[in-house]
Amino acid sequence: MTEIRGLGYLRVQSRDLPRWRELTVEALGFAETSGPVADGLYLRMDEREARLIVLPGEDDRVLAVGWEVRDQFALAAVGRAVEASGTAVKVLSEEQCRERRVDSALTFDDPSGTPVEVFFGPVLDHDPVRTKWTQQFVTGAQGMGHVVLPTTNFAEVETFYTEVLGFLPRGAVAMGGAAPDQKPRRVRFMGVNQRHHSLAICPAPHGEPPGLVHLMVEVDSLDAVGRALDEVGKRGFSVSSTLGRHTNDKMVSFYVRAPGGWDLEYGTEGMLVDERFYTAEEITRDSYWGHDWSGSEQLAAFTPPKG
């Protein structure tokens, strides 16, 4: 069983913080707060001081995917497992931990070069979270949401997350484009709690510097999703995928393109997995309805076959 309890935070760098602020705060309704970098964008979803952090820089990149563990003993266990796999581990300094508002953390790169941070002891902010649409983000025991990471060395990355970090397989979907005599490429979904997946990996170029396919966040009402979708359109953001319901996690969501070329999935009504009965499945269609990717730049790379 994995020591990791959920996706704790995501830190990214961007050349366009004003547009990021307009998307996340004005359109999607995150609550903005302050942080140690004066011109950084710190976004609250719950009692954590910030779950999504966007910092200014000369390029668009993932700075860290932060995974949470229970305590210092779990953190040490993760460190030992990663080092035993041949991956170098670095302990973050007290100053770095204060910047992330956590007790302790360590960092390493996954086999694709994506920066990973594992931490415990997040600092809490007990003031009310004032979101634009009066929505509540679904976090708690399910973590922040999920991330989808691209990789060109798929088997090694899958082994690292499942056999080293202990993520549980939560099914797959075959991608289009394979010849009849070739084994299809698959997107693999993985979980660490009752959220259907906290991580997925996709066989696609991960870029230099490393990027994302998307980040998913969940809210507590369809009305909040609808209002956010309206606002995204009014503010001229590109909708990568229209509203739809996924077949694996049952999420009703849409996807919007963020500065840097990644997507944010914004959804509701995600399923809870009961590990006593769950078995990994391969879905044959991404969605029951909707999720039209025809206007997306990522259509060819990331869209599974329909039917």
Side-chain angles (χ1 to χ4, degrees):
M1 181 61 70
T2 181
E3 298 285 0
I4 293 172
R5 296 292 179 91
L7 180 63
Y9 57 74
L10 178 66
R11 293 164 52 88
V12 300
Q13 179 177 287
S14 176
R15 294 170 289 182
D16 192 353
L17 261 70
R19 193 63 168 158
W20 263 99
R21 179 175 284 105
E22 185 176 9
L23 173 60
T24 54
V25 178
E26 300 301 330
L28 302 181
F30 284 76
E32 185 175 4
T33 186
S34 60
V37 178
D39 51 353
L41 178 61
Y42 294 85
L43 300 164
R44 285 186 68 193
M45 300 170 65
D46 52 18
E47 284 195 316
R48 305 295 174 88
E49 291 209 336
R51 290 277 197 177
L52 177 58
I53 302 99
V54 187
L55 300 179
E58 295 182 355
D59 55 16
D60 297 279
R61 67 169 67 209
V62 176
L63 296 175
V65 180
W67 299 102
E68 184 172 4
V69 297
R70 185 187 189 280
D71 52 32
Q72 66 269 37
F73 305 110
L75 186 66
V78 171
R80 290 192 298 269
V82 174
E83 287 182 330
S85 75
T87 300
V89 175
K90 179 182 177 182
V91 176
L92 294 187
S93 67
E94 290 187 13
E95 181 180 355
Q96 289 172 315
C97 289
R98 282 195 299 270
E99 180 184 349
R100 289 153 178 78
R101 305 297 285 159
V102 300
D103 187 307
S104 297
L106 50 81
T107 184
F108 49 87
D109 289 346
D110 77 9
S112 283
T114 299
V116 177
E117 294 179 358
V118 182
F119 71 95
F120 82 93
V123 175
L124 303 184
D125 181 345
H126 302 297
D127 288 335
V129 181
R130 295 180 173 88
T131 59
K132 180 171 183 178
W133 307 119
T134 67
Q135 80 276 30
Q136 290 185 343
F137 286 94
V138 178
T139 57
Q142 296 185 57
M144 175 187 180
H146 75 237
V147 289
V148 180
L149 303 178
T151 178
T152 54
N153 49 337
F154 190 90
E156 186 180 358
V157 171
E158 181 183 11
T159 298
F160 182 79
Y161 280 102
T162 55
E163 297 185 17
V164 177
L165 295 182
F167 281 68
L168 297 171
R170 293 270 173 85
V173 60
M175 299 172 65
D181 59 342
Q182 291 181 332
K183 183 177 180 180
R185 299 178 303 156
R186 289 177 170 83
V187 177
R188 295 282 183 188
F189 305 97
M190 307 175 202
V192 290
N193 52 49
Q194 283 192 292
R195 191 182 293 282
H196 179 273
H197 55 283
S198 297
L199 170 69
I201 56 173
C202 177
H206 50 73
E208 181 59 45
L212 292 171
V213 178
H214 72 255
L215 163 72
M216 186 284 298
V217 296
E218 183 178 357
V219 294
D220 63 343
S221 77
L222 183 60
D223 285 341
V225 173
R227 292 186 183 105
L229 180 56
D230 283 350
E231 196 70 19
V232 160
K234 291 175 185 176
R235 294 179 178 273
F237 289 96
S238 175
V239 175
S240 301
S241 176
T242 60
L243 192 70
R245 186 186 290 275
H246 282 305
T247 53
N248 58 359
D249 65 1
K250 317 307 180 189
M251 188 80 67
V252 178
S253 64
F254 69 90
Y255 294 70
V256 58
R257 181 58 49 87
W262 312 320
D263 284 336
L264 287 177
E265 181 185 3
Y266 196 84
T268 191
E269 299 181 10
M271 70 175 287
L272 298 178
V273 170
D274 186 337
E275 273 297 326
R276 296 175 299 169
F277 309 108
Y278 180 81
T279 58
E281 303 162 324
E282 179 165 314
I283 56 175
T284 57
R285 194 168 65 191
D286 182 52
S287 305
Y288 291 108
W289 54 268
H291 285 143
D292 179 0
W293 290 85
S294 60
S296 172
E297 298 172 11
Q298 298 186 20
L299 175 67
F302 301 126
T303 304
K306 296 288 185 180

